[in-house]
Amino acid sequence: MAHLERFSDFFDQQASFWRDLYLEEDVYASIHRERRGWALQKVSELALADDSVVLDAGMGAGGLATTVAEAGLRVVGVDASAGMLSLARKTVRDCDLDDRIVTVHADAEDLPFPDEAFPLVMALGLVPWVDDAGRLVKELARVTAAGGHVILNADNLTRLTHALDPLLNPRLARLRRAVAGALGRGRPHGVRVTLHTRSGFERLLADAGLEILEVRPLGFGPFTVAGTHLLPHSLARGLNRLLQRLADHGIPMVRSTGCQHLVLARRPA
């Protein structure tokens, strides 16, 4: 519960940042737009019947939910942050989609829905922030109908951007914690972000009884050293596009060092 409270407080304070992120011009925003575009493509390919009710767990400011609803589906959106949920409800009203989207204030690790309730469950940008990723994935699988699908992502432990920056490199995490402890400093928001290797994330999905249909590495940037951006926005976006093409073609080394793992999975019938 303590983690959930810290999580909610953090996103309450940061809600406007996540709402406005998709409108920015930097590479970080570009990667998030690409992530949403990939998810929407998968939703389209699933060809669910019109008015099917799907779940958006960790709906944030509501951008994914509204786009899915505009495509003909109905959405139940869940978020533990009251601040994010308030922005989501405004987004829903502004898009005139109150009749197609229901918002629920709830913990995604303990969803208030029956088993096999949804033919599709979406959870973008949620796994890195929860207290127990394994529990979350099992809960998402629980509410997915037999034969239904799950679209989700995790942050990559072996991402190239972290390897290049000593303030982010996971191999130096113990040293950074020791230095922070000596200086009396901790995480400013108290929320731990969890990173996963591809194999580790795939094990979480398998343990939850999900069958992986597709995994895509996503995102190369921003590139920093000691928190300072090395490239202007235009060059960073160009480098991201180049590395993304190489990753999509399965080029060794590049394919394993994207910022995120995007996954389409299915609960077996």
Side-chain angles (χ1 to χ4, degrees):
M1 182 59 70
H3 176 86
L4 181 61
E5 292 174 353
R6 291 195 300 269
F7 167 90
S8 300
D9 289 344
F10 172 67
F11 278 94
D12 287 349
Q13 297 168 20
Q14 299 291 324
S16 60
F17 167 81
W18 295 103
R19 177 197 61 198
D20 298 338
L21 171 64
Y22 292 84
L23 303 176
E24 300 295 331
E25 296 300 322
D26 63 9
V27 67
Y28 190 65
S30 177
I31 291 168
H32 281 73
R33 286 193 292 270
E34 176 71 13
R35 183 178 76 182
R36 181 184 291 175
W38 180 87
L40 293 172
Q41 178 185 344
K42 297 301 121 180
V43 173
S44 177
E45 291 171 358
L46 293 175
L48 298 175
D50 285 349
D51 288 334
S52 295
V53 181
V54 305
L55 175 66
D56 184 5
M59 74 180 301
L64 178 62
T66 53
T67 308
V68 169
E70 288 169 343
L73 302 177
R74 297 184 181 275
V75 182
V76 176
V78 170
D79 209 290
S81 163
M84 295 302 301
L85 212 56
S86 177
L87 287 181
R89 287 166 178 159
K90 183 179 186 306
T91 302
V92 170
R93 290 193 302 271
D94 290 346
C95 295
D96 196 23
L97 290 169
D98 298 85
D99 61 333
R100 303 195 68 83
I101 300 175
V102 175
T103 59
V104 179
H105 188 205
D107 178 6
E109 293 182 62
D110 188 18
L111 293 166
F113 308 117
D115 295 353
E116 302 188 25
F118 304 98
L120 170 64
V121 172
M122 305 175 293
L124 294 185
L126 180 60
V127 168
W129 298 97
V130 299
D131 188 39
D132 187 337
R135 178 183 174 187
L136 169 69
V137 174
K138 289 178 180 177
E139 187 68 349
L140 298 178
R142 179 186 68 79
V143 300
T144 303
H149 293 81
V150 181
I151 295 171
L152 74 170
N153 75 295
D155 282 4
N156 183 12
L157 179 64
T158 60
R159 60 206 296 174
L160 180 60
T161 54
H162 282 188
L164 297 176
D165 192 331
L167 292 185
L168 301 173
N169 192 316
R171 294 180 182 275
L172 301 177
R174 183 174 298 179
L175 174 62
R176 289 196 300 272
R177 287 195 297 269
V179 172
L183 296 176
R185 299 173 183 171
R187 297 183 184 91
H189 48 69
V191 176
R192 181 184 68 255
V193 177
T194 304
L195 309 177
H196 293 86
T197 62
R198 174 168 170 167
S199 60
F201 189 44
E202 290 179 350
R203 281 196 298 272
L204 289 184
L205 297 169
D207 289 345
L210 294 173
E211 174 190 2
I212 297 172
L213 302 180
E214 182 179 344
V215 182
R216 184 192 183 199
L218 176 73
F220 295 85
F223 291 99
T224 62
V225 171
T228 300
H229 289 258
L230 298 177
L231 299 171
H233 293 334
S234 59
L235 289 180
R237 293 195 303 268
L239 180 58
N240 173 58
R241 288 193 296 269
L242 171 60
L243 293 174
Q244 186 65 57
R245 285 196 296 271
L246 296 176
D248 289 340
H249 282 85
I251 301 301
M253 297 300 291
V254 181
R255 68 186 180 190
S256 63
T257 57
C259 292
Q260 303 180 31
H261 315 290
L262 301 181
V263 174
L264 172 67
R266 179 177 66 183
R267 178 174 176 178

